[in-house]
């Protein structure tokens, strides 16, 4: 029996996609073998990766002067790749809105001067700081954000004013959840294991003029974006099966109506849960309402023992992975694209029942 999986990642995937992959597990498209077994240089795989790229370009309306790279190492490897490829002046501005932005900032300090130009650490990252008039160094090579903060449940509703500097965004947990204007960014990247596919792939969308041989001398061949770009993400064996699943998810999103439809679907789900949290006498959301994520919804009862009891009883009732991140405690419901509205409705019904029994 399928459970309602509220995991922050690896996360719920569309059931339709999983069934298709199961049907093709032993014989993909008449090849007589699984995608797991085929050469990444084969004609069959070439079609898989090229179709995946075409579909994500269509979905996100990616301009021709941006490259789409399917990489390994997860988003965390890009914490190093970004400064290695972009730090020409050895200086960059970071906006610290959570653990992943902080880790990226700390990594960048190895390669140059990383300047924290804004932070929400003072209130446990429960809000997005005002980024309309930041003190960004003139010689900063780029401005960096984590656009949706998985652990803390915050989301940039307005992109920072970078004052003409390149914007780099880690979009791991809001990837393909709503329309995006790619031209506002120099680099968009995200691990796919939250909203797009299985763990093991990171997709990077990079403006072509930022892909050069002019990188820090210490940059490994594999972390040079130009290496990957010149070889169409096939410099070495890519995460073939993960990319194949991502391709299926792209098709599913298209079938569902594209990113506008995804946004409407996600807003409807989030409203059901946030409306309940706002009216509940037991459960409370932990994020400033204006900065709430559509993807990750953290909440607490205010009592650690009661939180633990809720997580235990929810699991027994078929609601998995509701325990909050170990750094903040409480609960968190991640309601990515593939989470059906029914799952959120049933969770809220369970929360109401729990509240009645524990008030």
């Amino acid at each position: 029996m399928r459970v309602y999986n509220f995991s922050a990642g690896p996360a719920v995937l569309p059931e339709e996609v999983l069934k298709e992959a199961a049907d093709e597990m032993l014989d993909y498209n008449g090849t007589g073998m699984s995608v797991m077994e085929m050469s990444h240089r084969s004609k069959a795989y070439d079609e898989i990766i090229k179709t995946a790229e075409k579909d994500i370009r269509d979905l996100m309306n990616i301009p021709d002067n941006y490259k789409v790279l399917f990489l390994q190492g997860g988003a965390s490897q890009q914490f190093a790749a970004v400064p290695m490829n972009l730090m020409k002046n050895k200086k960059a501005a970071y906006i610290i809105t959570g653990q992943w932005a902080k880790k990226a900032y700390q990594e960048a300090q190895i390669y140059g001067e990383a300047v924290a130009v804004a932070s929400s650490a003072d209130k446990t990252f429960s809000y997005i700081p005002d980024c309309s008039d930041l003190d960004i160094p003139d010689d900063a090579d780029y401005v960096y954000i984590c656009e949706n903060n998985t652990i803390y449940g915050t989301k940039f509703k307005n992109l920072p004013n970078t004052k003409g500097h390149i914007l780099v965004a880690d979009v791991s947990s809001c990837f393909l959840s709503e329309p995006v204007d790619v031209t506002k960014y120099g680099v968009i990247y995200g691990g796919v294991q939250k909203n797009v596919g299985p763990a093991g792939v990171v997709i990077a969308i990079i403006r072509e003029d930022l892909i050069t041989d002019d990188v820090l001398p210490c940059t490994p061949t594999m972390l040079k974006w130009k290496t990957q770009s010149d070889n169409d993400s096939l410099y070495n064996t890519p995460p073939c099966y993960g990319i194949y699943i991502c391709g299926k998810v792209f098709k599913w999103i298209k079938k569902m109506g594209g990113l506008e439809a995804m946004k409407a679907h996600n807003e409807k789900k989030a409203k059901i849960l946030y409306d309940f949290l706002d009216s509940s006498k037991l459960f409370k959301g932990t994020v400033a309402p204006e900065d709430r994520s559509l993807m990750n919804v953290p909440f607490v009862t205010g009592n650690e023992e009661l939180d633990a009891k809720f997580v235990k009883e929810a699991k027994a009732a078929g609601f998995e992975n509701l325990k909050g991140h170990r750094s903040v405690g409480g609960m968190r419901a991640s309601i990515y694209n593939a989470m059906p509205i029914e799952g959120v409705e049933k969770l809220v019904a369970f929360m109401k029942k729990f509240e009645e029994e524990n008030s």
Side-chain angles (χ1 to χ4, degrees):
M1 174 186 142
R2 293 279 290 171
V3 297
Y4 289 111
N5 178 13
F6 292 93
S7 172
V12 59
L13 286 166
E15 201 165 311
E16 191 178 308
V17 166
L18 296 175
K19 285 176 177 173
E20 271 185 29
D23 288 343
E24 295 172 351
M25 178 57 77
L26 296 178
D27 180 5
Y28 173 75
N29 205 20
T31 60
M33 58 184 141
S34 171
V35 175
M36 285 188 186
E37 304 170 293
M38 65 176 54
S39 167
H40 60 296
R41 308 287 181 197
S42 67
K43 186 180 177 186
Y45 193 75
D46 188 59
E47 186 180 344
I48 287 170
I49 195 168
K50 282 184 175 159
T51 302
E53 180 178 341
K54 181 184 181 302
D55 285 338
I56 193 173
R57 283 186 176 277
D58 290 348
L59 280 170
M60 295 181 70
N61 197 21
I62 298 172
D64 290 343
N65 66 321
Y66 282 73
K67 284 280 191 179
V68 176
L69 304 179
F70 296 96
L71 308 173
Q72 300 179 64
S76 295
Q77 187 151 283
Q78 294 304 306
F79 296 172
V82 166
M84 284 177 167
N85 284 273
L86 293 182
M87 262 193 179
K88 319 297 184 193
N89 297 321
K90 293 288 191 81
K91 188 179 287 186
Y94 278 71
I95 298 168
I96 316 296
T97 51
Q99 185 167 310
W100 302 114
K102 186 178 176 183
K103 285 188 173 182
Y105 164 70
Q106 290 168 335
E107 188 75 16
Q109 289 173 327
I110 298 170
Y111 306 103
E113 185 184 350
V115 182
V117 293
S119 173
S120 53
D122 61 324
K123 293 184 181 174
T124 324
F125 302 119
S126 60
Y127 71 102
I128 297 292
D130 179 4
C131 297
S132 59
D133 187 21
L134 299 172
D135 186 16
I136 300 167
D138 290 341
D139 58 346
D141 292 299
Y142 59 88
V143 176
Y144 183 101
I145 62 170
C146 180
E147 194 161 325
N148 187 90
N149 297 285
T150 324
I151 294 172
Y152 304 95
T154 57
K155 166 79 162 67
F156 279 82
K157 302 296 169 67
N158 298 297
L159 293 176
N161 175 6
T162 66
K163 299 181 176 176
H165 296 82
I166 297 158
L167 179 62
V168 177
D170 173 355
V171 298
S172 294
S173 54
C174 59
F175 217 171
L176 301 183
S177 63
E178 59 184 21
V180 59
D181 182 354
V182 174
T183 64
K184 290 182 176 178
Y185 306 79
V187 181
I188 305 174
Y189 74 86
V192 305
Q193 71 275 11
K194 300 171 184 296
N195 221 13
V196 188
V201 185
V202 59
I203 297 172
I205 301 159
I206 307 170
R207 209 172 65 214
E208 282 185 344
D209 62 296
L210 303 177
I211 301 173
T212 70
D213 283 320
D214 181 19
V215 298
L216 297 188
C218 61
T219 307
T221 301
M222 282 289 290
L223 292 192
K224 290 177 184 174
W225 291 335
K226 194 167 192 308
T227 301
Q228 304 293 348
S229 176
D230 287 351
N231 291 278
D232 297 322
S233 305
L234 294 165
Y235 175 74
N236 70 326
T237 310
C240 297
Y241 198 80
I243 295 167
Y244 154 76
I245 297 291
C246 290
K248 288 198 173 296
V249 172
F250 302 155
K251 294 277 190 206
W252 175 79
I253 294 173
K254 280 185 159 184
K255 185 178 170 184
M256 296 291 282
L259 297 186
E260 287 286 358
M262 274 295 124
K263 184 182 183 186
H265 169 66
N266 291 326
E267 286 176 337
K268 189 174 177 182
K269 283 184 297 186
K271 186 176 189 304
I272 292 167
L273 186 46
Y274 284 126
D275 281 355
F276 169 69
L277 289 172
D278 288 342
S279 66
S280 172
K281 288 184 171 61
L282 178 64
F283 296 101
K284 292 284 174 285
T286 59
V287 174
E290 65 274 16
D291 298 323
R292 286 170 165 173
S293 166
L294 295 179
M295 300 283 95
N296 312 101
V297 184
F299 55 96
V300 294
T301 65
N303 179 303
E304 286 186 13
E305 287 181 12
L306 207 51
D307 287 352
K309 183 183 182 192
F310 173 80
V311 170
K312 184 180 178 183
E313 291 185 10
K315 181 179 174 68
F319 304 102
E320 286 280 352
N321 297 307
L322 282 166
K323 187 176 181 182
H325 190 271
R326 61 189 177 276
S327 65
V328 291
M331 285 76 68
R332 172 181 52 182
S334 293
I335 49 176
Y336 299 122
N337 288 352
M339 173 57 66
I341 284 174
E342 172 193 276
V344 179
E345 290 171 338
K346 288 191 173 179
L347 173 63
V348 167
F350 176 80
M351 291 169 76
K352 285 178 179 173
K353 179 170 170 281
F354 185 88
E355 180 168 334
E356 286 165 13
E357 292 170 355
N358 292 276
S359 290

